[in-house]
Amino acid sequence: IKDPELLNKLSPSMLFSESTPRVQNIITHANGSKIADDLYRTLPGDPPTGGLSAGCLSDEDASVKTQVIANRNRTASAWLTANPVIPQCRMSDTAFKTAWKIRTLQQLFPPNLFCKCGHQLDRLGYHFYVCPAKTISAKVRNQTHYALKMAVLRVGNACFRPLGVRATDEEPHVGKYYPPKPIEPPRRRNNAHTQNTPPEERDPHSNPMGPDRRADVAFIPRDGNDMVVMVDVTTISPLVQKHRKYTLIPGKLADTAVKTKEIEYSKHFTTLSTREAALWFFAIETNGVFSKEAREFCRLMAETAGSPRFIQTIYQRISVDIQTSISQQVYKALNLYTSTVRNISRTPFTIA
């Protein structure tokens, strides 16, 4: 150990009094933090966050910069200190190596590879989450969304089980618990206004189900008189152009996704909290950073399990599942979504 700061943290008495896993955890965390800090110091100055030039970084620069910033975040780095002795915190060698390459900004996608939509790929593959070819980006986002949903479901079941609460097999209809707003008749718009109004960029978090929408997970108590806890999970990429100005603060982008969810739900329901049911929005950025509300829900699960310190293990379990999903996406993209010949027309391909 050559790092003076790390040596200060490891006193001789600690080496004999603390358990071996505890000492290993301290060393791993300190080394990971040092690497993250060293990478952070190599970043150029921040881009403007307002005006016409806001969010003007290229995809390559944006993916590298946001990843380096995420490396210093507790939730995005939780997988790094996960104890593989715990089965739910175990990563395969391939998943761990891929996660480490992303964290250290190694080249996952060579510069001679292009996305099948014709886009130049960034080294970390962030592009696939926002690819204009919906047959690509939809599959990538759906798999990440499913991995997050199942991670929250499994951790929630483990934490809420002592209270006799279990997740349902089906996605819950929110309208079953919250009163819907009256459906307003469509507004009439004149032709001139319609023709002169440019189409708005579709929000990646919008949900066409409206008042029939469903959350992703519902934890139902055995006693029907207790509160039902619903969770709607969502992911967001730092490369979403309209939100790129938020990527310089870890979690800010995920908080924006939560706010978008709240606005969309509020359009269709008179309230999002009653004595019968509570709705939580669990958002993460695709670099692994949790939103504020996601962290609060993790704290709720830890306190329900009777051990507030268990929150770090919850972060680790969810982070491990997300990094494993990202690893699978990387190798799927290399095999299915890339080409050495650029598609100049930039017409989205249909991927089987």
Side-chain angles (χ1 to χ4, degrees):
I1 303 174
K2 300 180 181 179
D3 184 4
E5 295 182 4
L6 180 55
L7 287 174
N8 292 334
K9 295 179 181 179
L10 292 175
S11 62
S13 59
M14 180 181 292
L15 294 176
F16 293 100
S17 61
E18 296 287 353
S19 64
T20 300
R22 169 66 175 161
V23 174
Q24 289 177 335
N25 186 279
I26 293 174
I27 295 174
T28 301
H29 179 75
N31 284 333
S33 298
K34 185 177 186 305
I35 293 173
D37 291 342
D38 289 344
L39 285 174
Y40 186 82
R41 282 191 287 269
T42 65
L43 290 178
D46 293 339
T49 57
L52 295 176
S53 57
C56 61
L57 288 175
S58 67
D59 286 357
E60 172 71 18
D61 293 336
S63 65
V64 168
K65 189 155 195 170
T66 54
Q67 183 59 51
V68 170
I69 293 173
N71 285 350
R72 308 176 84 199
N73 179 265
R74 178 185 180 187
T75 54
S77 304
W79 63 272
L80 195 60
T81 55
N83 187 350
V85 173
I86 303 173
Q88 296 85 355
C89 290
R90 193 173 299 161
M91 299 175 70
S92 68
D93 290 345
T94 299
F96 189 90
K97 289 177 181 178
T98 303
W100 180 254
K101 288 179 179 179
I102 293 175
R103 183 180 177 86
T104 54
L105 311 180
Q106 298 183 43
Q107 194 90 38
L108 291 176
F109 294 87
N112 65 327
L113 281 184
F114 301 91
C115 177
K116 287 192 173 182
C117 74
H119 200 283
Q120 176 70 56
L121 291 174
D122 60 282
R123 69 171 69 185
L124 303 179
Y126 274 37
H127 163 77
F128 295 110
Y129 294 98
V130 294
C131 178
K134 299 304 180 184
T135 47
I136 295 177
S137 56
K139 290 182 179 179
V140 173
R141 289 200 301 264
N142 287 344
Q143 180 162 338
T144 307
H145 181 276
Y146 180 77
L148 178 58
K149 168 188 170 180
M150 296 308 297
V152 172
L153 185 150
R154 286 190 288 263
V155 174
N157 271 341
C159 294
F160 297 143
R161 186 181 296 117
L163 300 180
V165 177
R166 294 283 294 177
T168 58
D169 295 330
E170 299 180 354
E171 296 178 344
H173 285 272
V174 179
K176 179 180 178 181
Y177 303 99
Y178 299 146
K181 287 183 177 180
I183 299 177
E184 297 181 1
R187 297 179 181 178
R188 299 184 62 181
R189 303 173 66 183
N190 58 56
N191 293 334
H193 177 76
T194 303
Q195 293 174 1
N196 296 330
T197 304
E200 297 181 357
E201 180 183 353
R202 181 172 175 80
D203 194 315
H205 311 292
S206 63
N207 190 326
M209 288 191 291
D212 295 327
R213 68 173 59 228
R214 295 171 294 174
D216 292 294
V217 183
F219 296 100
I220 308 294
R222 187 179 305 164
D223 183 354
N225 296 325
D226 291 334
M227 177 179 286
V228 172
V229 176
M230 294 182 290
V231 183
D232 194 330
V233 306
T234 187
T235 63
I236 184 170
S237 168
L239 296 193
V240 175
Q241 192 67 37
K242 64 185 293 186
H243 296 314
R244 195 172 288 188
K245 63 182 179 180
Y246 298 126
T247 59
L248 301 179
I249 303 175
K252 182 68 173 179
L253 195 60
D255 291 339
T256 302
V258 170
K259 187 64 176 178
T260 303
K261 282 280 189 181
E262 291 175 346
I263 293 173
E264 286 299 315
Y265 271 83
S266 297
K267 291 179 182 179
H268 305 290
F269 302 98
T270 57
T271 182
L272 298 181
S273 180
T274 64
R275 294 183 177 181
E276 292 76 27
L279 176 62
W280 291 77
F281 298 111
F282 199 110
I284 68 165
E285 299 169 15
T286 50
N287 51 29
V289 180
F290 289 23
S291 66
K292 179 182 178 181
E293 186 159 335
R295 298 194 304 272
E296 290 175 351
F297 187 72
C298 289
R299 186 175 296 108
L300 170 67
M301 291 191 289
E303 291 174 353
T304 303
S307 177
R309 295 181 62 182
F310 186 61
I311 189 171
Q312 184 60 25
T313 302
I314 292 176
Y315 287 159
Q316 291 168 347
R317 289 182 58 172
I318 296 175
S319 181
V320 162
D321 284 348
I322 294 302
Q323 294 300 326
T324 298
S325 175
I326 291 174
S327 171
Q328 294 169 350
Q329 293 297 331
V330 165
Y331 288 97
K332 181 181 289 187
L334 281 169
N335 292 324
L336 297 179
Y337 307 148
T338 60
S339 173
T340 55
V341 179
R342 186 167 194 169
N343 176 25
I344 301 178
S345 67
R346 299 179 66 86
T347 301
F349 278 62
T350 300
I351 308 298

